[in-house]
Amino acid sequence: MTTVGIRGTFFDFVDDPWKHIGNEQAAARFHQDGLMVVTDGIIKTFGPYDKIAAAHPGVEITHIKDRIIVPGFIDGHIHLPQTRVLGAYGEQLLPWLQKWVYPEELKYRDRNYAREGVKRFLDALLASGTTTCQAFTSSSPVSTEELFEEAARRNMRVIAGLTGIDRNAPADFIDTPENFYRDSKRLIAQYHNKGRNLYAITPRFAFGASPDLLRACQRLKHEHPDCWVNTHISENPAECSGVLVEHPDCQDYLGVYEKFDLVGPKFSGGHGVYLSNNEFRRMSKKGAAVVFCPCSNLFLGSGLFRLGRATDPEHRVKMSFGTDVGGGNRFSMISVLDDAYKVGMCNNTLLDGSIDPARKDLAEAERNKLSPYRGFWSITLGGAEGLYIDDKLGNFEPGKEADFVALDPSGGQVAQAWHQSLIADGAGPRTMDEAASMLFAVMMVGDDRCVDETWVMGKRLYKKD
């Protein structure tokens, strides 16, 4: 066994900040000088340096100075084969898929192209501080194989699966339900729960899925109930209308997935911009999750996700955040928090009564405000809870996997260091409130340049030059 110690300033979460309105600090944990002891990639103990070091004499310690160490970021919704089409101009979802995405994803049938794309994809994640993702691959099994193989070489935790589509895409891109079922069965047997790989049954979206394809997904889920289900839901108005044309016996988008018994724990629907109140309540009751993808929702003009509605304490929906690369134009979960904050503030204004007094709902308006506690919880422990992997990672509890990021709070824009000196007078944070304020500045003023080091299972896989 290999045991190492990591010393530094730590910030993580023990609870959901939305449950502690007015006292969000109760959901967090801060050690100005902390020590995490890791044995074979698993956290053995964690706490104040003086206490933990005394109990573990002789442990080799890496001291990460002048940084804030947080759990590794979790991207709940991202597309591996869209890495190269970031920033494709001028289209909303459906024409954007036809013009840019499907032609690029077709290239991932070639194993050499897929292998290069996977390496670039995972490099970009690690450089952004993302240690775990739930990813769409393509309609070709090759891309799924290459992703799981390369993630295993890096010991990264990945949830992924062959992406099923048999409608509303180019003829050479779609596949049959029979092939999707057969290939998925093989991939599940080969990769699911092998090392840190987890498999998601992945119908791309209901607009691209016939009843036969969804029945194949239903059969897979019944045969492999411990697998995840990853898809899209209610992203774009034209898509939402198209879904009900394709599935006229269903009353709403969620109803399509419910009809085939796919909605429950480990179900993730990306976007959810146009989910009704009733759909949110049904997702809450069934333990399903929605993934908030603000960068993509803004870039493609899809709309404003109702963060305050999803966090309604009476019908709370499990939730992760995602980049949705390449609809999202950045790999950075820090950038996701930046845009999520702005979406939330727009929703706050819509609900505070200043525009339409009839829509006034001050409680929901307040829940749209993304504090640093709510934000960083959402991409660490909250993201893990949304994906049902919080037993494995998400914070620094002993027994969990030692994935973490060392953030340089003065990285990013040239002005960042001067701003942070307002909070901590040129030094590191001394209190939880100072750390939270500095992390908020990372959210809003910083960018990927704030990511200094990324560690996976207690090993450093990325260091900023």
Side-chain angles (χ1 to χ4, degrees):
M1 293 193 299
T2 301
T3 299
V4 297
I6 308 297
R7 180 181 183 181
T9 297
F10 291 85
F11 190 104
D12 73 336
F13 294 89
V14 295
D15 202 1
D16 174 0
W18 270 283
K19 294 179 181 178
H20 299 272
I21 293 176
N23 184 30
E24 294 180 15
Q25 299 92 330
R29 176 167 51 184
F30 174 74
H31 293 298
Q32 182 187 17
D33 186 13
L35 180 63
M36 179 168 61
V37 177
V38 177
T39 299
D40 291 343
I42 303 299
I43 300 170
K44 184 175 182 179
T45 187
F46 171 66
Y49 173 79
D50 289 344
K51 177 182 177 182
I52 303 300
H56 295 273
V59 169
E60 180 181 346
I61 294 175
T62 298
H63 192 179
I64 302 176
K65 299 179 180 179
D66 303 320
R67 302 291 181 259
I68 301 176
I69 301 171
V70 298
F73 301 150
I74 299 168
D75 189 332
H77 185 107
I78 190 169
H79 293 258
L80 154 67
Q82 295 177 20
T83 300
R84 204 174 182 182
V85 294
L86 290 173
Y89 169 73
E91 305 288 350
Q92 291 199 1
L93 174 65
L94 297 182
W96 174 79
L97 289 170
Q98 296 287 343
K99 181 178 180 180
W100 292 102
V101 171
Y102 295 146
E104 175 64 17
E105 291 196 10
L106 273 171
K107 298 175 186 176
Y108 280 73
R109 291 181 173 179
D110 178 82
R111 190 169 297 278
N112 289 332
Y113 193 90
R115 186 168 295 154
E116 179 183 2
V118 165
K119 289 178 179 178
R120 290 178 181 272
F121 172 77
L122 294 178
D123 285 348
L125 288 179
L126 290 169
S128 299
T130 298
T131 55
T132 296
C133 71
Q134 179 175 241
F136 290 80
T137 59
S138 75
S139 56
S140 169
V142 169
S143 61
T144 306
E145 294 163 1
E146 290 299 320
L147 176 58
F148 279 135
E149 294 288 346
E150 183 62 23
R153 281 189 283 270
R154 303 183 191 214
N155 211 14
M156 295 175 67
R157 183 165 290 285
V158 167
I159 305 171
L162 178 67
T163 301
I165 183 169
D166 67 344
R167 284 184 176 183
N168 294 315
D172 55 351
F173 187 81
I174 62 176
D175 201 0
T176 66
E178 294 78 17
N179 286 345
F180 172 77
Y181 173 81
R182 181 201 64 217
D183 290 335
S184 296
K185 287 285 288 186
R186 176 180 63 81
L187 292 167
I188 290 168
Q190 188 170 352
Y191 293 110
H192 183 49
N193 274 325
K194 302 299 192 299
R196 300 184 80 194
N197 291 328
L198 299 170
Y199 198 89
I201 300 159
T202 309
R204 188 179 194 114
F205 56 173
F207 182 66
S210 69
D212 284 343
L213 180 62
L214 292 169
R215 275 190 282 271
C217 294
Q218 180 181 26
R219 184 180 174 189
L220 288 166
K221 182 61 176 172
H222 286 173
E223 292 170 352
H224 304 278
D226 62 331
C227 281
W228 278 248
V229 177
N230 183 29
T231 190
H232 294 79
I233 191 167
S234 299
E235 178 179 357
N236 171 278
E239 172 218 11
C240 293
S241 299
V243 164
L244 297 184
V245 171
E246 296 289 346
H247 301 274
D249 57 332
C250 297
Q251 296 299 310
D252 53 34
Y253 207 134
L254 182 66
V256 178
Y257 298 128
E258 288 175 323
K259 177 182 176 181
F260 296 95
D261 197 27
L262 298 175
V263 181
K266 297 186 179 181
F267 172 94
S268 291
H271 300 282
V273 176
Y274 296 99
L275 288 171
S276 66
N277 292 351
N278 183 264
E279 286 172 292
F280 272 126
R281 286 193 290 270
R282 281 148 52 200
M283 291 184 77
S284 173
K285 184 176 181 180
K286 293 183 178 182
V290 65
V291 188
F292 182 20
C293 304
C295 299
S296 173
N297 297 342
L298 295 174
F299 182 77
L300 295 176
S302 299
L304 304 178
F305 175 74
R306 296 189 296 157
L307 182 59
R309 176 55 52 183
T311 52
D312 179 356
E314 294 186 11
H315 305 285
R316 182 63 186 273
V317 178
K318 287 186 176 294
M319 182 171 55
S320 297
F321 284 21
T323 60
D324 192 37
V325 163
N329 54 322
R330 288 162 290 181
F331 272 85
S332 171
M333 295 305 293
I334 293 172
S335 294
V336 168
L337 295 183
D338 177 6
D339 281 351
Y341 175 85
K342 295 166 185 174
V343 168
M345 290 302 288
C346 288
N347 284 329
N348 178 273
T349 300
L350 291 171
L351 292 167
D352 69 6
S354 58
I355 297 175
D356 181 359
R359 295 185 60 188
K360 185 176 181 178
D361 186 331
L362 294 181
E364 184 174 338
E366 196 282 334
R367 292 195 301 271
N368 277 288
K369 296 173 72 174
L370 197 69
S371 70
Y373 295 97
R374 294 173 178 181
F376 277 90
W377 176 82
S378 296
I379 64 172
T380 57
L381 182 59
E385 291 180 1
L387 295 179
Y388 286 85
I389 52 175
D390 53 300
D391 61 322
K392 299 174 174 64
L393 45 79
N395 64 6
F396 297 133
E397 284 295 300
K400 292 192 178 183
E401 297 159 349
D403 293 354
F404 58 91
V405 182
L407 294 175
D408 177 1
S410 296
Q413 300 183 40
V414 172
Q416 178 85 327
W418 199 34
H419 167 79
Q420 297 288 30
S421 70
L422 282 173
I423 300 166
D425 194 24
R430 295 173 290 267
T431 66
M432 181 183 292
D433 283 344
E434 285 186 356
S437 294
M438 296 182 87
L439 288 172
F440 185 70
V442 169
M443 280 173 54
M444 305 310 303
V445 188
D447 54 28
D448 276 9
R449 288 171 290 179
C450 292
V451 176
D452 190 58
E453 301 182 18
T454 304
W455 293 60
V456 171
M457 294 289 281
K459 294 183 179 180
R460 185 171 62 196
L461 295 192
Y462 170 81
K463 177 72 171 76
K464 183 174 66 176
D465 293 335

